[in-house]
C-alpha cells in the first residue's frame, strides 16, 4: 500500500492479512451480513491466531496510525467495543477505561459466549 505522501515507499511491509472466505474448514464464516451481526460474530469468535476482536482492534489502530480512514471498519470497531463493555457490565466487571478494561471486556465476552 502506498500513499500520496509516499508513492515510492510502501507504507506497510511484512504484514499478515486474513481474508474470510466460505469453506468447509472455516467454521466461523458468517457470510454476507449486516454490520451488527458481524460485530457479534467478531466479539465472540476465535481463530488460529487468536480472538477476532483483537485482530479488529489492532487493525483499526494501525489504520489510524497510517492515517487511513475507513468508516465501516471504525464503525465495526465501535460496535465490538460496545458489545465487550456490555458483556463486562453483565458480569459486573469493574475496570477503569483503557487497555485493562478492553482485556477484561474481552474475557467477559468469552464468558458470556461460553454460557
Amino acid at each position: 500500500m502506498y500513499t500520496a505522501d509516499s508513492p515510492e515507499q510502501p507504507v506497510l511491509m511484512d504484514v499478515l492479512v486474513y481474508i474470510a472466505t466460505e469453506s468447509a474448514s472455516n467454521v466461523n464464516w458468517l457470510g454476507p451480513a449486516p454490520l451488527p451481526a458481524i460485530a457479534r460474530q467478531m466479539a465472540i469468535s476465535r481463530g488460529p491466531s487468536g480472538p477476532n476482536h483483537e485482530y479488529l482492534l489492532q487493525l483499526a489502530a494501525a489504520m489510524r496510525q497510517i492515517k487511513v480512514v475507513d468508516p465501516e471498519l471504525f464503525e465495526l470497531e465501535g460496535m465490538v467495543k460496545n458489545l465487550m463493555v456490555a458483556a463486562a457490565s453483565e458480569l459486573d466487571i469493574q475496570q477503569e477505561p483503557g487497555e485493562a478494561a478492553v482485556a477484561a471486556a474481552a474475557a467477559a465476552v468469552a464468558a458470556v459466549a461460553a454460557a
Side-chain angles (χ1 to χ4, degrees):
M1 175 177 168
Y2 298 88
T3 66
D5 295 338
S6 179
E8 302 294 321
Q9 179 68 30
V11 176
L12 301 175
M13 297 172 25
D14 300 321
V15 298
L16 179 62
V17 176
Y18 290 94
I19 300 174
T21 59
E22 185 174 8
S23 73
S25 64
N26 189 355
V27 296
N28 290 323
W29 170 252
L30 181 60
L35 218 50
I38 295 170
R40 285 190 299 278
Q41 180 85 359
M42 291 197 79
I44 62 171
S45 294
R46 181 181 184 84
S49 297
N52 287 180
H53 68 269
E54 282 184 10
Y55 174 80
L56 172 67
L57 299 178
Q58 290 179 19
L59 174 62
M63 293 295 110
R64 283 189 184 91
Q65 184 177 3
I66 62 172
K67 297 179 179 30
V68 171
V69 178
D70 185 331
E72 186 176 43
L73 172 67
F74 298 149
E75 184 178 0
L76 181 60
E77 173 196 32
M79 289 177 171
V80 169
K81 283 182 175 180
N82 288 339
L83 288 169
M84 294 167 65
V85 169
S89 294
E90 188 174 316
L91 295 178
D92 197 30
I93 295 174
Q94 303 297 316
Q95 286 284 333
E96 294 297 317
E99 293 301 315
V102 171
V109 166
V112 169

